[in-house]
Amino acid sequence: MRKQEISVEALTKGILKGDNAILAKAITLLESANPNHFEKANAVIENCLSQPNNSVRLGVTGVPGVGKSSFIETLGTTLTSMGKKVAVLAVDPTSSLSKGSILGDKTRMQTLSKDPNAFIRPSPSGNSLGGVAQKTRESIMLCEAAGYDVILVETVGVGQSEIAVHSMVDFFLLLKLSGAGDELQGIKRGIMEMADAIAINKADGTNLERAKLAETEFSRALHLYPPKKNGWVPKVMRCSATENTGIKEIWELVEQFVAQNKENGHFEKNRKTQNKNWFLQTVDEHIKQFFHQRESFKMEQDKMLNAIDNNEISPFYAAKLLLDKITKEL
Amino acid sequence: MRKQEISVEALTKGILKGDNAILAKAITLLESANPNHFEKANAVIENCLSQPNNSVRLGVTGVPGVGKSSFIETLGTTLTSMGKKVAVLAVDPTSSLSKGSILGDKTRMQTLSKDPNAFIRPSPSGNSLGGVAQKTRESIMLCEAAGYDVILVETVGVGQSEIAVHSMVDFFLLLKLSGAGDELQGIKRGIMEMADAIAINKADGTNLERAKLAETEFSRALHLYPPKKNGWVPKVMRCSATENTGIKEIWELVEQFVAQNKENGHFEKNRKTQNKNWFLQTVDEHIKQFFHQRESFKMEQDKMLNAIDNNEISPFYAAKLLLDKITKEL
């Protein structure tokens, strides 16, 4: 028996009502590689975008082992207990490898995943980081339409994915451990420059003294960077996700940041810049789909793949022939 | 005075003659964002692709600080002294940040950069890792047409870029340090699975004993992975780039790998798979260019960007309108 397909109208209505099951279905649709789903997902997104919202988008990054999941679990639970609705999304560049992702299974967030005011979604899979990031951006919009106030976007501290997440959030938080290896210094520099705050996680027990030291060191290091255009001075804080200390203070900092940036106009300005980049990326995605959805394109592409397999043509020349043929047909 | 433009014919001829200055110019052309350069670069690549070659493409990865540059310097010099011509290319996902790249300045390879049988090219900059990787793939082709026998493709050990480099090389080498932090275990697993060999670098002086231990540990770890389809059993070796020990042995291993895989047909099979992926990526790049080169596309796109800036339209809907308008014109 075929599963009954849900209509664009039903999806839109369900999302706007805040129905988590429908929200999850809509995100599955937009993550799908099926071209029919692409059209449908676009219609849902368009319907949802007209809704005004007052959300805060918070990016959370840090190397594997820094405790991102427990941090998000504790922060998320703190926020829902304040009456907020919290969505957790992820951008994981490794998830496109079939071998599983660094960020792993979101069911690890045991308390938050049972919370009716929380919505947790693992990283979409995809062939490219760009594709994965694109889908996460669209998921943010759907979550906001569903009434989520705080969108937490988790990523892993290894380079390019930070840039992607930084380009879709209002506030970018870097989690660190005290005394962790300097192996990643080269990367850290670029990522530290993007951070609006650094939180030294696992600042508890025998670790507390080292965490205080790290706090001082990072504060000093941050002063070496040029000031941010929005006038914000990045802060270094300590927290312990397992003992739930310092977490509320981090959220207060985010709120202070949002208030200050709304006041001086940089909040709106940043979102506009992000919107323009989102537009450019969406255009490129649509361009691609415009060709890939054509029957004749698929047939010609398969022919060329065969010819390459038989060593009859170079891949580069095959691409040229395919495009020449298809563009003449338009 | 305008610089005189060099013709497709002159570029092709220069490359096939092995003229490094012309090769460098051609690569600059293919890395250019200028649409006129795109056409010209494509013509040069097509001309060069008909040349048969017997190259070995070797990917080298490892986290910052593992000593990739000195390893490549020593390996490269060893290879040129054996009469081989060596090209060094790089894929660096961080170089798209204006703040500089992890892989840094290739002039650090002081000996190799003066070697007439070596050609060193830093990572192209680009908006996306996909774009950067695409250009590196095309640079490989040009280097091979210029007579380079060994193409070393360097990347930084942080995730997605490894997958890109793995998809364009014959042999994938992972450099490790003994006793380095386990912070990256999560990533290491995926990358270790791609590796055809692991080399413990800086196995010298007081480090030697720890390197031997690491060698045993990694060998044991590698045995836990399922066997590779080509029948190759990944090896763990030790080397010191600064003392030039173990480097020749690594090259002998690569040669053994190539011989074995040519024998059982997997070398050719792997290159064909890579060619098909290259074709698919090239098609998508050409599709994008097909639109972006149109005058009316640029005008409409700018209009939409303005409208987004004035909050008159949502980025997602703007993308739809732009595509609708442009595809009607075709």
Side-chain angles (χ1 to χ4, degrees), chain B residues 221-258:
Chain B
L222 279 182
H223 278 291
L224 300 174
Y225 293 110
K228 302 210 171 207
K229 276 183 204 151
N230 57 12
W232 178 255
V233 183
K235 306 280 185 305
V236 184
M237 309 189 79
R238 271 176 287 129
C239 67
S240 164
T242 47
E243 298 195 346
N244 196 356
T245 53
I247 304 283
K248 229 183 101 202
E249 287 75 8
I250 290 170
W251 179 250
E252 284 163 3
L253 186 74
V254 174
E255 286 196 317
Q256 191 192 323
F257 172 93
V258 171

mmCIF file of all heavy atoms in Angstrom, chain B residues 221-258:
data_model
loop_
_atom_site.group_PDB
_atom_site.id
_atom_site.type_symbol
_atom_site.label_atom_id
_atom_site.label_comp_id
_atom_site.label_asym_id
_atom_site.label_seq_id
_atom_site.Cartn_x
_atom_site.Cartn_y
_atom_site.Cartn_z
ATOM 1 N N ALA B 221 44.378 -0.978 14.766
ATOM 2 C CA ALA B 221 43.111 -0.280 14.480
ATOM 3 C C ALA B 221 42.667 -0.535 13.042
ATOM 4 O O ALA B 221 41.489 -0.754 12.772
ATOM 5 C CB ALA B 221 43.280 1.210 14.732
ATOM 6 N N LEU B 222 43.627 -0.523 12.115
ATOM 7 C CA LEU B 222 43.274 -0.692 10.700
ATOM 8 C C LEU B 222 42.676 -2.064 10.427
ATOM 9 O O LEU B 222 41.861 -2.233 9.525
ATOM 10 C CB LEU B 222 44.509 -0.483 9.813
ATOM 11 C CG LEU B 222 44.872 0.971 9.508
ATOM 12 C CD1 LEU B 222 46.079 1.022 8.590
ATOM 13 C CD2 LEU B 222 43.696 1.715 8.860
ATOM 14 N N HIS B 223 43.093 -3.050 11.221
ATOM 15 C CA HIS B 223 42.583 -4.404 11.013
ATOM 16 C C HIS B 223 41.102 -4.521 11.324
ATOM 17 O O HIS B 223 40.456 -5.490 10.933
ATOM 18 C CB HIS B 223 43.379 -5.408 11.862
ATOM 19 C CG HIS B 223 44.653 -5.807 11.198
ATOM 20 N ND1 HIS B 223 44.669 -6.583 10.052
ATOM 21 C CD2 HIS B 223 45.942 -5.510 11.479
ATOM 22 C CE1 HIS B 223 45.924 -6.750 9.681
ATOM 23 N NE2 HIS B 223 46.715 -6.115 10.523
ATOM 24 N N LEU B 224 40.581 -3.532 12.048
ATOM 25 C CA LEU B 224 39.165 -3.579 12.416
ATOM 26 C C LEU B 224 38.257 -3.167 11.254
ATOM 27 O O LEU B 224 37.063 -3.394 11.277
ATOM 28 C CB LEU B 224 38.908 -2.673 13.622
ATOM 29 C CG LEU B 224 39.699 -3.032 14.882
ATOM 30 C CD1 LEU B 224 39.482 -1.981 15.965
ATOM 31 C CD2 LEU B 224 39.293 -4.417 15.388
ATOM 32 N N TYR B 225 38.839 -2.538 10.230
ATOM 33 C CA TYR B 225 38.019 -2.096 9.104
ATOM 34 C C TYR B 225 37.793 -3.242 8.135
ATOM 35 O O TYR B 225 38.637 -4.118 7.996
ATOM 36 C CB TYR B 225 38.687 -0.925 8.379
ATOM 37 C CG TYR B 225 38.736 0.318 9.233
ATOM 38 C CD1 TYR B 225 39.937 0.797 9.734
ATOM 39 C CD2 TYR B 225 37.563 1.002 9.552
ATOM 40 C CE1 TYR B 225 39.980 1.925 10.540
ATOM 41 C CE2 TYR B 225 37.596 2.127 10.347
ATOM 42 C CZ TYR B 225 38.798 2.586 10.840
ATOM 43 O OH TYR B 225 38.832 3.695 11.632
ATOM 44 N N PRO B 226 36.664 -3.200 7.439
ATOM 45 C CA PRO B 226 36.427 -4.243 6.431
ATOM 46 C C PRO B 226 37.470 -4.134 5.318
ATOM 47 O O PRO B 226 37.987 -3.056 5.050
ATOM 48 C CB PRO B 226 35.018 -3.912 5.910
ATOM 49 C CG PRO B 226 34.763 -2.490 6.284
ATOM 50 C CD PRO B 226 35.571 -2.231 7.515
ATOM 51 N N PRO B 227 37.821 -5.258 4.683
ATOM 52 C CA PRO B 227 38.831 -5.217 3.618
ATOM 53 C C PRO B 227 38.372 -4.351 2.446
ATOM 54 O O PRO B 227 37.173 -4.218 2.190
ATOM 55 C CB PRO B 227 38.955 -6.684 3.196
ATOM 56 C CG PRO B 227 37.746 -7.374 3.733
ATOM 57 C CD PRO B 227 37.283 -6.603 4.915
ATOM 58 N N LYS B 228 39.321 -3.718 1.756
ATOM 59 C CA LYS B 228 38.982 -2.862 0.613
ATOM 60 C C LYS B 228 38.625 -3.722 -0.602
ATOM 61 O O LYS B 228 39.138 -4.829 -0.753
ATOM 62 C CB LYS B 228 40.169 -1.953 0.272
ATOM 63 C CG LYS B 228 40.595 -1.091 1.449
ATOM 64 C CD LYS B 228 41.183 0.234 1.003
ATOM 65 C CE LYS B 228 41.385 1.122 2.223
ATOM 66 N NZ LYS B 228 41.346 2.536 1.915
ATOM 67 N N LYS B 229 37.784 -3.156 -1.457
ATOM 68 C CA LYS B 229 37.327 -3.897 -2.639
ATOM 69 C C LYS B 229 38.455 -4.284 -3.574
ATOM 70 O O LYS B 229 38.394 -5.284 -4.275
ATOM 71 C CB LYS B 229 36.310 -3.049 -3.418
ATOM 72 C CG LYS B 229 34.900 -3.190 -2.868
ATOM 73 C CD LYS B 229 33.920 -2.385 -3.723
ATOM 74 C CE LYS B 229 32.697 -2.023 -2.895
ATOM 75 N NZ LYS B 229 32.083 -0.762 -3.334
ATOM 76 N N ASN B 230 39.493 -3.458 -3.613
ATOM 77 C CA ASN B 230 40.603 -3.752 -4.517
ATOM 78 C C ASN B 230 41.586 -4.758 -3.908
ATOM 79 O O ASN B 230 42.610 -5.078 -4.510
ATOM 80 C CB ASN B 230 41.331 -2.459 -4.916
ATOM 81 C CG ASN B 230 41.827 -1.689 -3.696
ATOM 82 O OD1 ASN B 230 41.831 -2.216 -2.577
ATOM 83 N ND2 ASN B 230 42.264 -0.463 -3.907
ATOM 84 N N GLY B 231 41.291 -5.248 -2.723
ATOM 85 C CA GLY B 231 42.145 -6.255 -2.098
ATOM 86 C C GLY B 231 43.352 -5.683 -1.373
ATOM 87 O O GLY B 231 44.126 -6.426 -0.766
ATOM 88 N N TRP B 232 43.526 -4.379 -1.420
ATOM 89 C CA TRP B 232 44.683 -3.742 -0.777
ATOM 90 C C TRP B 232 44.528 -3.715 0.742
ATOM 91 O O TRP B 232 43.464 -3.374 1.254
ATOM 92 C CB TRP B 232 44.834 -2.317 -1.298
ATOM 93 C CG TRP B 232 45.968 -1.553 -0.674
ATOM 94 C CD1 TRP B 232 45.879 -0.565 0.260
ATOM 95 C CD2 TRP B 232 47.362 -1.713 -0.952
ATOM 96 N NE1 TRP B 232 47.119 -0.093 0.586
ATOM 97 C CE2 TRP B 232 48.053 -0.782 -0.143
ATOM 98 C CE3 TRP B 232 48.099 -2.554 -1.799
ATOM 99 C CZ2 TRP B 232 49.444 -0.662 -0.171
ATOM 100 C CZ3 TRP B 232 49.480 -2.429 -1.819
ATOM 101 C CH2 TRP B 232 50.140 -1.503 -1.004
ATOM 102 N N VAL B 233 45.578 -4.098 1.428
ATOM 103 C CA VAL B 233 45.575 -4.002 2.891
ATOM 104 C C VAL B 233 46.388 -2.767 3.288
ATOM 105 O O VAL B 233 47.604 -2.728 3.064
ATOM 106 C CB VAL B 233 46.172 -5.272 3.532
ATOM 107 C CG1 VAL B 233 46.089 -5.168 5.054
ATOM 108 C CG2 VAL B 233 45.448 -6.504 3.037
ATOM 109 N N PRO B 234 45.736 -1.733 3.839
ATOM 110 C CA PRO B 234 46.435 -0.501 4.200
ATOM 111 C C PRO B 234 47.592 -0.774 5.170
ATOM 112 O O PRO B 234 47.485 -1.625 6.053
ATOM 113 C CB PRO B 234 45.351 0.338 4.882
ATOM 114 C CG PRO B 234 44.067 -0.188 4.361
ATOM 115 C CD PRO B 234 44.295 -1.661 4.153
ATOM 116 N N LYS B 235 48.700 -0.059 4.942
ATOM 117 C CA LYS B 235 49.892 -0.255 5.769
ATOM 118 C C LYS B 235 50.124 0.948 6.677
ATOM 119 O O LYS B 235 49.748 2.061 6.339
ATOM 120 C CB LYS B 235 51.119 -0.404 4.872
ATOM 121 C CG LYS B 235 51.025 -1.474 3.798
ATOM 122 C CD LYS B 235 51.296 -2.871 4.342
ATOM 123 C CE LYS B 235 51.306 -3.904 3.206
ATOM 124 N NZ LYS B 235 50.083 -3.928 2.364
ATOM 125 N N VAL B 236 50.773 0.703 7.802
ATOM 126 C CA VAL B 236 51.215 1.794 8.668
ATOM 127 C C VAL B 236 52.735 1.849 8.606
ATOM 128 O O VAL B 236 53.405 0.808 8.709
ATOM 129 C CB VAL B 236 50.752 1.599 10.123
ATOM 130 C CG1 VAL B 236 51.131 2.793 10.978
ATOM 131 C CG2 VAL B 236 49.244 1.382 10.176
ATOM 132 N N MET B 237 53.291 3.027 8.403
ATOM 133 C CA MET B 237 54.739 3.164 8.317
ATOM 134 C C MET B 237 55.188 4.321 9.205
ATOM 135 O O MET B 237 54.368 5.100 9.673
ATOM 136 C CB MET B 237 55.140 3.425 6.866
ATOM 137 C CG MET B 237 54.524 2.406 5.913
ATOM 138 S SD MET B 237 55.160 2.493 4.243
ATOM 139 C CE MET B 237 56.718 1.647 4.416
ATOM 140 N N ARG B 238 56.504 4.411 9.408
ATOM 141 C CA ARG B 238 57.070 5.541 10.151
ATOM 142 C C ARG B 238 57.947 6.349 9.221
ATOM 143 O O ARG B 238 58.568 5.782 8.301
ATOM 144 C CB ARG B 238 57.949 5.032 11.289
ATOM 145 C CG ARG B 238 57.249 4.773 12.596
ATOM 146 C CD ARG B 238 58.226 4.173 13.585
ATOM 147 N NE ARG B 238 58.527 2.785 13.245
ATOM 148 C CZ ARG B 238 59.747 2.277 13.121
ATOM 149 N NH1 ARG B 238 60.815 3.048 13.292
ATOM 150 N NH2 ARG B 238 59.921 1.004 12.819
ATOM 151 N N CYS B 239 58.035 7.638 9.423
ATOM 152 C CA CYS B 239 58.968 8.427 8.628
ATOM 153 C C CYS B 239 59.375 9.682 9.380
ATOM 154 O O CYS B 239 58.751 10.063 10.377
ATOM 155 C CB CYS B 239 58.356 8.798 7.275
ATOM 156 S SG CYS B 239 56.961 9.925 7.394
ATOM 157 N N SER B 240 60.440 10.297 8.914
ATOM 158 C CA SER B 240 60.847 11.598 9.415
ATOM 159 C C SER B 240 61.211 12.448 8.212
ATOM 160 O O SER B 240 62.179 12.151 7.502
ATOM 161 C CB SER B 240 62.048 11.472 10.355
ATOM 162 O OG SER B 240 62.645 12.750 10.524
ATOM 163 N N ALA B 241 60.418 13.462 7.980
ATOM 164 C CA ALA B 241 60.672 14.319 6.820
ATOM 165 C C ALA B 241 61.966 15.096 7.019
ATOM 166 O O ALA B 241 62.735 15.296 6.083
ATOM 167 C CB ALA B 241 59.495 15.271 6.608
ATOM 168 N N THR B 242 62.234 15.523 8.257
ATOM 169 C CA THR B 242 63.425 16.341 8.489
ATOM 170 C C THR B 242 64.703 15.505 8.391
ATOM 171 O O THR B 242 65.726 15.976 7.911
ATOM 172 C CB THR B 242 63.365 17.030 9.867
ATOM 173 O OG1 THR B 242 62.992 16.045 10.838
ATOM 174 C CG2 THR B 242 62.325 18.125 9.877
ATOM 175 N N GLU B 243 64.636 14.217 8.816
ATOM 176 C CA GLU B 243 65.832 13.366 8.726
ATOM 177 C C GLU B 243 65.835 12.521 7.460
ATOM 178 O O GLU B 243 66.767 11.735 7.243
ATOM 179 C CB GLU B 243 65.910 12.461 9.968
ATOM 180 C CG GLU B 243 66.045 13.267 11.253
ATOM 181 C CD GLU B 243 66.482 12.418 12.429
ATOM 182 O OE1 GLU B 243 66.431 11.173 12.316
ATOM 183 O OE2 GLU B 243 66.898 13.016 13.449
ATOM 184 N N ASN B 244 64.787 12.662 6.653
ATOM 185 C CA ASN B 244 64.653 11.896 5.415
ATOM 186 C C ASN B 244 64.787 10.388 5.648
ATOM 187 O O ASN B 244 65.547 9.695 4.975
ATOM 188 C CB ASN B 244 65.679 12.373 4.368
ATOM 189 C CG ASN B 244 65.306 11.865 2.970
ATOM 190 O OD1 ASN B 244 64.341 11.107 2.803
ATOM 191 N ND2 ASN B 244 66.073 12.285 1.969
ATOM 192 N N THR B 245 64.038 9.881 6.611
ATOM 193 C CA THR B 245 63.983 8.427 6.806
ATOM 194 C C THR B 245 62.562 7.951 6.555
ATOM 195 O O THR B 245 61.597 8.637 6.909
ATOM 196 C CB THR B 245 64.393 8.032 8.241
ATOM 197 O OG1 THR B 245 63.607 8.787 9.175
ATOM 198 C CG2 THR B 245 65.859 8.296 8.501
ATOM 199 N N GLY B 246 62.453 6.826 5.919
ATOM 200 C CA GLY B 246 61.143 6.216 5.694
ATOM 201 C C GLY B 246 60.388 6.779 4.496
ATOM 202 O O GLY B 246 59.340 6.246 4.116
ATOM 203 N N ILE B 247 60.911 7.829 3.913
ATOM 204 C CA ILE B 247 60.196 8.503 2.816
ATOM 205 C C ILE B 247 60.257 7.656 1.541
ATOM 206 O O ILE B 247 59.231 7.426 0.876
ATOM 207 C CB ILE B 247 60.818 9.898 2.547
ATOM 208 C CG1 ILE B 247 60.828 10.743 3.826
ATOM 209 C CG2 ILE B 247 60.090 10.583 1.405
ATOM 210 C CD1 ILE B 247 59.509 11.335 4.220
ATOM 211 N N LYS B 248 61.464 7.155 1.248
ATOM 212 C CA LYS B 248 61.621 6.331 0.048
ATOM 213 C C LYS B 248 60.752 5.082 0.162
ATOM 214 O O LYS B 248 60.148 4.633 -0.813
ATOM 215 C CB LYS B 248 63.104 5.928 -0.115
ATOM 216 C CG LYS B 248 63.660 6.179 -1.506
ATOM 217 C CD LYS B 248 65.090 5.696 -1.635
ATOM 218 C CE LYS B 248 65.172 4.365 -2.347
ATOM 219 N NZ LYS B 248 66.422 3.644 -2.047
ATOM 220 N N GLU B 249 60.675 4.535 1.381
ATOM 221 C CA GLU B 249 59.878 3.323 1.608
ATOM 222 C C GLU B 249 58.398 3.588 1.336
ATOM 223 O O GLU B 249 57.688 2.720 0.830
ATOM 224 C CB GLU B 249 60.072 2.822 3.046
ATOM 225 C CG GLU B 249 61.426 2.175 3.332
ATOM 226 C CD GLU B 249 62.582 3.184 3.446
ATOM 227 O OE1 GLU B 249 62.322 4.418 3.453
ATOM 228 O OE2 GLU B 249 63.752 2.754 3.540
ATOM 229 N N ILE B 250 57.948 4.796 1.682
ATOM 230 C CA ILE B 250 56.542 5.128 1.422
ATOM 231 C C ILE B 250 56.294 5.170 -0.084
ATOM 232 O O ILE B 250 55.291 4.668 -0.581
ATOM 233 C CB ILE B 250 56.167 6.463 2.103
ATOM 234 C CG1 ILE B 250 56.140 6.257 3.624
ATOM 235 C CG2 ILE B 250 54.817 6.979 1.613
ATOM 236 C CD1 ILE B 250 56.021 7.526 4.436
ATOM 237 N N TRP B 251 57.248 5.750 -0.815
ATOM 238 C CA TRP B 251 57.079 5.787 -2.265
ATOM 239 C C TRP B 251 57.077 4.376 -2.860
ATOM 240 O O TRP B 251 56.292 4.067 -3.768
ATOM 241 C CB TRP B 251 58.142 6.658 -2.939
ATOM 242 C CG TRP B 251 57.944 6.640 -4.425
ATOM 243 C CD1 TRP B 251 58.744 6.054 -5.358
ATOM 244 C CD2 TRP B 251 56.819 7.180 -5.152
ATOM 245 N NE1 TRP B 251 58.202 6.191 -6.614
ATOM 246 C CE2 TRP B 251 57.020 6.879 -6.506
ATOM 247 C CE3 TRP B 251 55.660 7.876 -4.760
ATOM 248 C CZ2 TRP B 251 56.110 7.265 -7.497
ATOM 249 C CZ3 TRP B 251 54.755 8.255 -5.738
ATOM 250 C CH2 TRP B 251 54.985 7.949 -7.091
ATOM 251 N N GLU B 252 57.929 3.511 -2.326
ATOM 252 C CA GLU B 252 57.951 2.123 -2.815
ATOM 253 C C GLU B 252 56.601 1.443 -2.571
ATOM 254 O O GLU B 252 56.127 0.665 -3.399
ATOM 255 C CB GLU B 252 59.088 1.341 -2.141
ATOM 256 C CG GLU B 252 60.457 1.703 -2.721
ATOM 257 C CD GLU B 252 61.632 1.270 -1.842
ATOM 258 O OE1 GLU B 252 61.394 0.617 -0.790
ATOM 259 O OE2 GLU B 252 62.778 1.613 -2.194
ATOM 260 N N LEU B 253 55.993 1.780 -1.441
ATOM 261 C CA LEU B 253 54.670 1.228 -1.146
ATOM 262 C C LEU B 253 53.637 1.717 -2.168
ATOM 263 O O LEU B 253 52.803 0.944 -2.643
ATOM 264 C CB LEU B 253 54.237 1.635 0.270
ATOM 265 C CG LEU B 253 52.935 1.009 0.759
ATOM 266 C CD1 LEU B 253 53.150 -0.458 1.117
ATOM 267 C CD2 LEU B 253 52.360 1.760 1.949
ATOM 268 N N VAL B 254 53.724 3.000 -2.500
ATOM 269 C CA VAL B 254 52.805 3.552 -3.504
ATOM 270 C C VAL B 254 52.989 2.814 -4.826
ATOM 271 O O VAL B 254 52.014 2.427 -5.482
ATOM 272 C CB VAL B 254 53.031 5.072 -3.694
ATOM 273 C CG1 VAL B 254 52.187 5.610 -4.842
ATOM 274 C CG2 VAL B 254 52.719 5.829 -2.406
ATOM 275 N N GLU B 255 54.245 2.583 -5.199
ATOM 276 C CA GLU B 255 54.514 1.893 -6.470
ATOM 277 C C GLU B 255 53.974 0.462 -6.448
ATOM 278 O O GLU B 255 53.441 -0.029 -7.443
ATOM 279 C CB GLU B 255 56.014 1.900 -6.760
ATOM 280 C CG GLU B 255 56.482 3.281 -7.211
ATOM 281 C CD GLU B 255 57.853 3.248 -7.884
ATOM 282 O OE1 GLU B 255 58.744 2.543 -7.356
ATOM 283 O OE2 GLU B 255 58.018 3.911 -8.922
ATOM 284 N N GLN B 256 54.116 -0.169 -5.292
ATOM 285 C CA GLN B 256 53.596 -1.528 -5.133
ATOM 286 C C GLN B 256 52.069 -1.525 -5.283
ATOM 287 O O GLN B 256 51.492 -2.377 -5.972
ATOM 288 C CB GLN B 256 53.998 -2.012 -3.736
ATOM 289 C CG GLN B 256 53.780 -3.485 -3.464
ATOM 290 C CD GLN B 256 53.932 -3.781 -1.968
ATOM 291 O OE1 GLN B 256 54.779 -3.189 -1.280
ATOM 292 N NE2 GLN B 256 53.110 -4.680 -1.463
ATOM 293 N N PHE B 257 51.435 -0.535 -4.660
ATOM 294 C CA PHE B 257 49.976 -0.373 -4.747
ATOM 295 C C PHE B 257 49.549 -0.196 -6.210
ATOM 296 O O PHE B 257 48.609 -0.838 -6.678
ATOM 297 C CB PHE B 257 49.570 0.842 -3.912
ATOM 298 C CG PHE B 257 48.121 1.256 -4.045
ATOM 299 C CD1 PHE B 257 47.168 0.783 -3.155
ATOM 300 C CD2 PHE B 257 47.703 2.136 -5.046
ATOM 301 C CE1 PHE B 257 45.834 1.170 -3.260
ATOM 302 C CE2 PHE B 257 46.375 2.523 -5.160
ATOM 303 C CZ PHE B 257 45.449 2.039 -4.264
ATOM 304 N N VAL B 258 50.259 0.691 -6.908
ATOM 305 C CA VAL B 258 49.892 0.978 -8.300
ATOM 306 C C VAL B 258 50.050 -0.281 -9.144
ATOM 307 O O VAL B 258 49.155 -0.635 -9.932
ATOM 308 C CB VAL B 258 50.744 2.144 -8.861
ATOM 309 C CG1 VAL B 258 50.534 2.303 -10.356
ATOM 310 C CG2 VAL B 258 50.397 3.445 -8.132
#
